[in-house]
Amino acid sequence: MGMIQTGKNRKNLVFSKRVADLKKFGAAELVLILSIIVLVVVVAIPILLIFWNAFTTADGKFNIKDVIWILSKPETYQALLNSVTIALGVTMLSTILGVFFAWLVTRTDLPFKGAMKLLFIVPFMLPSFIGAMAWKILLSPRGGYINVFFKNLLGIDKPLFNIYGMAGIIIVETMYLFPFVFLQVSGALERMDPTLEESAQISGVDLFTITRKITFPLITPSIIAGALLVALYSLSHFGVPAILGTEVGIYNIPTLIYQKIYASAGSFEAIRTGTVLASILVISAAIIMYLQNLVLKKGRYQIIAGKSMRPMLLKLRGFKIPLLIFSILYIAVTVLLPTVTVFLVGALKTYGLPLKLKHMTLENFKYILFSWKMTKDAIKNSVVLSLGAAFVTMLVGTMISYVIVKMKVKGKFILEFLGMLPFSVPGTVIALGVILTWSGRFGVNLYNTAWIIFVAYIARYMAFALKSTSAALEQVHDSLEEASRSCGATHWQALKHIVLPLIKPGMVAAFFLIFLPALRELTTSVLLYGPTTRTIGVAIYALNEDGETVYAMALASIALVIIVLGEILIRKITSTKEGNG
């Protein structure tokens, strides 16, 4: 009888254990399913609708005829050719500059290397379309300040420089995209084990040969990865080509999409053309990301040693001062000159006046901030949308990251794929997908409202939240949560009192990493804004297009101040997080 009772008890214990395991599994599955639903609704459906709308008719039938017709149009071919030409030019120049400056600040005895490294990253923080406007003011053929100066100095009629055209677009984009290569390569050079280089040096090989035959081949994967990122961003760039290209009839794919939709007030045919062009961008982005993953996978050389070692430094000797001067001049011309121009022109009483103190006034900034309804609304819209999107995306991203990092459930790869997908998709594509999804197709119409921009920001910046919060969660050891659970705490209590406080710096960093790009965003919101939902980026662009250059620069100045302060705050938070770690 006792044996029967013992058998029953064992069965009850096994059954109870299975029920408990089932409950745990069910909770994990519930969070996983909720996370997938969020990403499918916000990310997957908009992108799928791009292809659906491009390759089907209004009644849902497959239609390749219109696709071929759109792709065969001369303007489409020319836009595609322009996009490829710009991307190739920018990628080549960015790679040369990025590799050179990365090598200079990591492998030579260049003075002030720490400050130089920070200054070379500054263009990465600044909106490229504002830089394009500054260069337009400086180098436009007729009224550009630099051209006017040289005309008066040399007594010539023709402009010395002309920023409009392919060359201008490539040069300005390079100024703001080369940090992608610089960051990748400088990181690889700093982490690389110098044993091979030292062995070659002991064998009598000179340092230039070592650099050419050993150092650069080892960091080739990092160079290619950075170059492919530049190509990806250049293909999807809207601001610089719109400002420096459209006035002379040069369109790339993003600017052609905008022109088609804006000119026809969002007609069905314009949307169809836009989705076909957007499909090209998605396919191009997919190819680039595949190539990048292939390069990183095949190029995983073991260049980082287990012990910390200082890399060899090449003594520049007589080239030290000339290279320092060259670096300072590059930063002064590409960063300082356009930034100072934005503030000076924003303070002018009237555009075209000489940049002298007697022609300056603070009334423009006062008018922009406190009097003009359009700019006041734009600032308010951007701040509210950026804060809201950053907060919501941070929370959702934390939940999804927790599933990816901490939960042992199948299907997590779907979350990683969907979460990172918008990072590789141009903002123009996200905007088009959001228009197709939230313009009444599924019973919800957000078109011409702030909500449609809000949803687009969440989709576009989800990858930022996932990257930051996942990195923070990786640092929290599972034993801490398990210890709290063994002491009787519930799953929620363990999260609330242990996990969330520990990853708080990562969450705050994610918030600002989303807030700042959203605040200055143009490519996505320029297709989504309505009469009362302009953002700061859209307002600056619209003012510039309407000839209100002084007010455009005044608003751009305010945006730059907010961005720089935000970047400083991010660095402080990140450094505090690393110090605590």
Side-chain angles (χ1 to χ4, degrees), residues 405-406 408 473-483:
V405 176
K406 296 295 183 181
K408 296 177 181 179
L473 281 164
E474 290 281 4
Q475 295 177 339
V476 179
H477 201 279
D478 294 342
S479 60
L480 294 174
E481 195 175 350
E482 289 167 2

Side-chain angles (χ1 to χ4, degrees), residues 253-314:
I253 293 178
T255 54
L256 184 61
I257 291 172
Y258 172 76
Q259 191 265 341
K260 289 290 180 185
I261 295 175
Y262 184 77
S264 64
S267 68
F268 176 79
E269 285 304 318
I271 294 289
R272 163 64 60 78
T273 302
T275 54
V276 172
L277 295 172
S279 299
I280 297 172
L281 288 178
V282 174
I283 293 167
S284 301
I287 292 169
I288 290 172
M289 293 302 289
Y290 172 76
L291 290 173
Q292 188 185 46
N293 290 333
L294 199 65
V295 166
L296 292 175
K297 187 177 179 181
K298 288 189 175 182
R300 284 177 183 168
Y301 308 121
Q302 294 182 336
I303 63 171
I304 304 173
K307 54 184 178 179
S308 177
M309 303 177 75
R310 283 190 176 185
M312 289 189 308
L313 294 181
L314 176 66

Side-chain angles (χ1 to χ4, degrees), residues 205-226:
V205 183
D206 63 274
L207 284 176
F208 279 107
T209 305
I210 292 170
T211 301
R212 182 168 53 89
K213 292 193 173 182
I214 296 175
T215 308
F216 282 129
L218 285 174
I219 61 168
T220 297
S222 296
I223 296 173
I224 296 174

Side-chain angles (χ1 to χ4, degrees), residues 325-343:
I325 293 170
F326 174 75
S327 300
I328 292 172
L329 284 175
Y330 179 86
I331 291 166
V333 171
T334 60
V335 178
L336 194 60
L337 179 59
T339 304
V340 170
T341 300
V342 169
F343 283 91

